[in-house]
Amino acid sequence: MIMTPRQRVFTALHKGKTDKVPFTVYEKMISQCTVERELRNRGLCIVKRVQSYKTHTPNVQVKSSHSTTLQGHQLVKTIYTTPFGDLTTLTEATDDTTWRHELMYKTPADYKAILFLIQDTIVEPNYDEVARVVTDLGEDFVVRDNFPLEPLQNLISSNYMKMEDFCIEWMEHRDEILKLYDAFVELARKIYPVVANGPLEFANYGGNVVPQIIGVENFEKYYVPNYNEAAEILHKKGKLIGTHLDADNTLIMSAVAKTKLDYIEAYDPSMSPSVKDVRRIWPDKVLWINWQSGYQLKPPKEIQKITVDLIEDAKPLEGFIIGITEDIPKDRLHQNLTAIIDGIDTVVC
């Protein structure tokens, strides 16, 4: 039986047998055009990322001002006014990315304001809107729910604190960092049941962890328990949970193996253990790789061969998905996606 792109992804997420290896791309990485239509006809599945909940801070006033750089990029300055002072962020948006020039944390005097902001956050379901998205998009899409970043990662990879500042503050004011961590844990606990009771079948929990900065001990202490707590709640409702691990995961492979996560998404085998090795290390987890960004400049025939080799290394193929989770150079996007799907079509499942 020929599966739809959506059926293929969900079957793989449940470790079932598919008619061919599922192939996915984030919604923002491909625009509507003739080639995109042809790729979807051949099985490309587009991943639409949404949240089945909304958040707001009733006691924090938020104001944003907009301006434009000489290059035509949009600058957005946001001021968060709390009873403990103002917090500000400054971002610069382009077509491809957003640069974060200024984050909330500037000095230790900002800790009380940031803590108030986190604790003031209210969580509400957004079920009707996301259910409508699923219905409207149909069988060429999967719609994925998203938790915030992990409680500690939220300080590093969001609008709160630069990574350098986090590393310094972890050594000098760890007690203040852990107050924020505890507040994020409590906020996450408000979100878990909302996602579990929502209309979507699977959710990502954070990601972008850099193990060489976090370290194994901190990963096991501050990340794994949160994954497992969320997983237990989602599993009771028949939902799946994964995370986005796109760095060099060598240090944390054993720790990840012990989690209750169902899948690991965005895994890059050019930076971490090979597909063959990771299938052995994580035998119970679905492996949803990112087709390696470092190879996107190779000729189409090589890209096709690399794809075939990845698939051969992943056998048995139950629970294996090839994805695009990082930008491809615009002048190579269509030819590379076509070469990858050409490789997929040469392998019989």
Side-chain angles (χ1 to χ4, degrees):
M1 180 185 76
I2 298 177
M3 294 179 167
T4 67
R6 184 177 187 274
Q7 289 172 335
R8 212 169 274 128
V9 171
F10 278 110
T11 299
L13 283 172
H14 288 276
K15 303 175 188 174
K17 186 173 179 59
T18 56
D19 57 339
K20 63 178 181 178
V21 172
F23 182 35
T24 68
V25 62
Y26 286 169
E27 78 280 357
K28 291 184 178 180
M29 293 181 179
I30 186 168
S31 57
Q32 290 181 318
C33 63
T34 299
V35 176
E36 179 256 5
R37 178 68 264 178
E38 291 171 351
L39 290 167
R40 282 203 275 154
N41 286 342
R42 294 182 62 187
L44 179 66
C45 187
I46 300 175
V47 180
K48 177 70 174 178
R49 296 163 292 175
V50 301
Q51 291 180 335
S52 61
Y53 57 93
K54 295 179 179 179
T55 61
H56 66 279
T57 50
N59 301 300
V60 176
Q61 185 180 37
V62 183
K63 290 184 178 180
S64 294
S65 59
H66 299 254
S67 59
T68 304
T69 69
L70 293 176
Q71 295 76 26
H73 302 162
Q74 189 173 57
L75 283 173
V76 180
K77 182 170 185 175
T78 305
I79 302 174
Y80 304 82
T81 300
T82 82
F84 298 96
D86 289 352
L87 303 165
T88 60
T89 62
L90 180 65
T91 61
E92 179 181 350
T94 72
D95 291 339
D96 299 321
T97 190
T98 298
W99 290 306
R100 301 181 299 158
H101 295 301
E102 185 179 327
L103 302 184
M104 292 183 190
Y105 175 87
K106 312 294 191 303
T107 74
D110 294 321
Y111 277 123
K112 287 185 178 180
I114 295 174
L115 181 61
F116 183 88
L117 177 68
I118 301 166
Q119 293 176 331
D120 192 50
T121 304
I122 302 297
V123 180
E124 297 175 345
N126 190 32
Y127 296 160
D128 290 344
E129 185 173 331
V130 298
R132 195 159 46 244
V133 170
V134 174
T135 301
D136 290 347
L137 292 180
E139 289 297 315
D140 289 354
F141 290 75
V142 290
V143 182
R144 190 189 82 194
D145 214 331
N146 288 278
F147 291 104
L149 291 166
E150 304 91 337
L152 199 63
Q153 194 67 22
N154 225 336
L155 291 171
I156 305 170
S157 300
S158 192
N159 287 325
Y160 297 95
M161 184 176 284
K162 293 179 181 178
M163 185 175 289
E164 301 95 312
D165 288 335
F166 171 84
C167 292
I168 293 169
E169 291 301 295
W170 185 250
M171 301 307 296
E172 295 189 355
H173 297 105
R174 189 172 304 185
D175 55 337
E176 296 292 343
I177 292 286
L178 290 179
K179 287 178 187 177
L180 301 184
Y181 167 81
D182 289 338
F184 275 127
V185 169
E186 292 307 312
L187 176 57
R189 285 173 174 160
K190 298 175 185 176
I191 297 173
Y192 298 154
V194 177
V195 172
N197 290 308
L200 301 179
E201 295 96 333
F202 71 114
N204 261 35
Y205 192 171
N208 293 319
V209 178
V210 181
Q212 290 72 21
I213 290 176
I214 297 300
V216 177
E217 181 180 346
N218 287 329
F219 182 78
E220 292 178 334
K221 184 173 182 179
Y222 297 108
Y223 288 73
V224 172
N226 294 293
Y227 293 144
N228 290 345
E229 183 176 344
E232 188 171 336
I233 293 170
L234 262 66
H235 289 163
K236 288 178 180 177
K237 297 292 184 176
K239 308 293 177 69
L240 302 177
I241 182 172
T243 193
H244 180 107
L245 296 182
D246 58 350
D248 178 357
N249 297 298
T250 305
L251 290 176
I252 60 171
M253 295 298 289
S254 296
V256 172
K258 298 172 186 175
T259 68
K260 297 178 182 178
L261 295 170
D262 300 295
Y263 65 89
I264 305 300
E265 185 246 9
Y267 185 92
D268 188 333
S270 68
M271 297 170 56
S272 294
S274 69
V275 167
K276 183 176 290 187
D277 287 340
V278 76
R279 296 288 272 172
R280 174 181 52 80
I281 299 168
W282 296 341
D284 65 331
K285 303 202 184 304
V286 172
L287 182 62
W288 193 339
I289 69 166
N290 171 52
W291 203 99
Q292 305 98 307
S293 299
Y295 298 158
Q296 294 286 3
L297 295 180
K298 292 185 177 293
K301 286 297 182 183
E302 283 192 50
I303 288 175
Q304 181 177 338
K305 182 181 184 304
I306 291 168
T307 303
V308 172
D309 292 342
L310 286 169
I311 295 172
E312 292 296 330
D313 283 348
K315 288 183 175 179
L317 295 174
E318 288 82 0
F320 179 67
I321 304 172
I322 295 176
I324 301 294
T325 63
E326 304 292 342
D327 292 317
I328 298 174
K330 289 182 178 179
D331 61 336
R332 290 174 172 264
L333 177 65
H334 293 154
Q335 73 172 30
N336 287 12
L337 294 181
T338 300
I340 293 169
I341 212 162
D342 285 344
I344 289 171
D345 285 345
T346 66
V347 181
V348 178
C349 284

